[in-house]
Amino acid sequence: MTRAPRVAQRAERLLGAAVVATAEVAGGDTCRATKLRLSDGTTALMKTAPRVPDGFFEAEATGLRWLGSAPGDAAPVPDVLAVDEECLVVRWVEPARPSPEAATAFGRALAHTHLAGAETFGAERDGFIGRLPLPQRTAPTWAEFYAVRRVLPYLKLARDRGALEDHQAARIESLVGRLPGLLPEEPPARLHGDLWNGNVVWGAGSPGEPAQGWLVDPAAYGGHREVDLAMLALFGLPHLPQVLEAYESVHPLAEGWQDRLALHQLFPLLVHACLFGGGYGPRAADLAARYL
């Protein structure tokens, strides 16, 4: 590790401790990540990005704290050390290789995070997914929230950006009216909200203990727990069968949940269509057709 003066000085102002060394960390397409070693022995991760929307890093910090406040054996979350309008600093998680044992532990822990619950479907303030706005205004049922806060806004944006043809968008719109009959009623779970495999960091546990799955980069809100599981399945978490088996041992899923995974994958696919175009929009339309 060397010392990047500009990054180090900013971190020192926020943390009140001298930065001994810094090192860039690979990964992520939204923010620049820098590992910090502080004079008090703390190791931290600093995320920075130019010209982010107002409240961008504050929303992430709020989500981390909310997930981290889940009681008992919930999934671990890095401590928030500092945040301002242009950066976020969290405690460093030392990477480790995932294993079946770690996946089993993560499945149980994620179930406990979801069981911590939420007051309603949604959140007090809007957030972000990537750099896109994430509407969070509450709704009385999951079917309504999923339709008007998750599917329809990104369907419109994807169509406006040319990521969907009109007939593909119409197919997804046709599904929206059927959502109340397709989605089971459950109390709101405490969701990560953007739980693709890159937002599960496999970190070293205590000596002699297996690695743990840490939750990072959330877009947290109260929602249906199948959303988090559907996103893990969509983008391929290591040892996913062990994760799901362990999850169900703690918090069994409603009958037919495997058949609903594609339904809850519409949202992340539409987000990716908005951000990246490509085949994500047509893939979302194909999934919608399964339920028509």
Side-chain angles (χ1 to χ4, degrees), residues 24-26 35 43-45 78 91-99 102 198 200-205 209-214 216:
E24 283 208 44
V25 178
K35 183 179 181 181
T43 305
L45 180 74
R91 195 173 301 278
W92 176 258
V93 176
E94 189 62 33
R97 292 182 63 85
S99 65
V200 179
V201 172
W202 299 100
E209 296 294 324
Q212 299 182 77
W214 292 69
V216 302

Side-chain angles (χ1 to χ4, degrees), residues 30-31 47 49 52-61 84-85 128-132:
T30 302
C31 299
K47 297 174 62 176
V52 294
D54 291 344
F56 181 83
F57 286 114
E58 289 87 349
E60 182 176 341
D84 69 9
E85 69 279 1
F128 301 90
I129 188 154
R131 289 191 179 222
L132 295 178

Side-chain angles (χ1 to χ4, degrees), residues 54-278:
D54 291 344
F56 181 83
F57 286 114
E58 289 87 349
E60 182 176 341
T62 297
L64 285 169
R65 291 177 178 128
W66 187 55
L67 293 173
S69 69
D73 298 321
V77 177
D79 295 332
V80 175
L81 302 180
V83 62
D84 69 9
E85 69 279 1
E86 294 182 356
C87 74
L88 171 69
V89 185
V90 298
R91 195 173 301 278
W92 176 258
V93 176
E94 189 62 33
R97 292 182 63 85
S99 65
E101 294 78 15
T104 295
F106 175 67
R108 295 192 188 108
L110 180 62
H112 284 289
T113 297
H114 288 169
L115 279 166
E119 292 185 3
T120 188
F121 296 109
E124 290 184 1
R125 298 179 182 178
D126 291 346
F128 301 90
I129 188 154
R131 289 191 179 222
L132 295 178
L134 184 70
Q136 301 276 51
R137 189 158 56 89
T138 61
T141 67
W142 172 245
E144 180 180 341
F145 185 88
Y146 191 59
V148 301
R149 306 284 183 262
R150 292 297 177 262
V151 176
L152 290 176
Y154 301 100
L155 175 61
K156 181 181 185 304
L157 182 59
R159 183 165 48 187
D160 290 347
R161 292 185 174 184
L164 276 168
E165 296 183 10
D166 288 344
H167 74 278
Q168 294 167 332
R171 192 181 304 163
I172 298 172
E173 286 176 336
S174 297
L175 174 61
V176 168
R178 299 192 61 193
L179 289 176
L182 294 170
L183 297 173
E185 294 185 10
E186 284 192 359
R190 188 166 304 203
L191 297 190
H192 177 283
D194 189 15
L195 198 57
W196 70 290
N197 65 303
N199 287 342
V200 179
V201 172
W202 299 100
S206 304
E209 296 294 324
Q212 299 182 77
W214 292 69
L215 300 179
V216 302
D217 299 351
Y221 63 97
H224 200 295
R225 57 202 175 111
E226 290 175 9
V227 171
D228 275 354
L229 302 179
M231 197 173 290
L232 289 176
L234 179 62
F235 295 109
L237 185 75
H239 307 295
L240 183 60
Q242 286 89 343
V243 171
L244 295 175
E245 182 180 359
Y247 183 100
E248 285 221 272
S249 73
V250 173
H251 194 8
L253 292 155
E255 184 178 356
W257 67 269
Q258 297 97 329
D259 296 330
R260 288 188 298 273
L261 285 181
L263 190 61
H264 280 127
Q265 288 168 350
L266 285 176
F267 163 57
L269 286 172
L270 289 171
V271 169
H272 276 65
C274 296
L275 292 171
F276 308 116

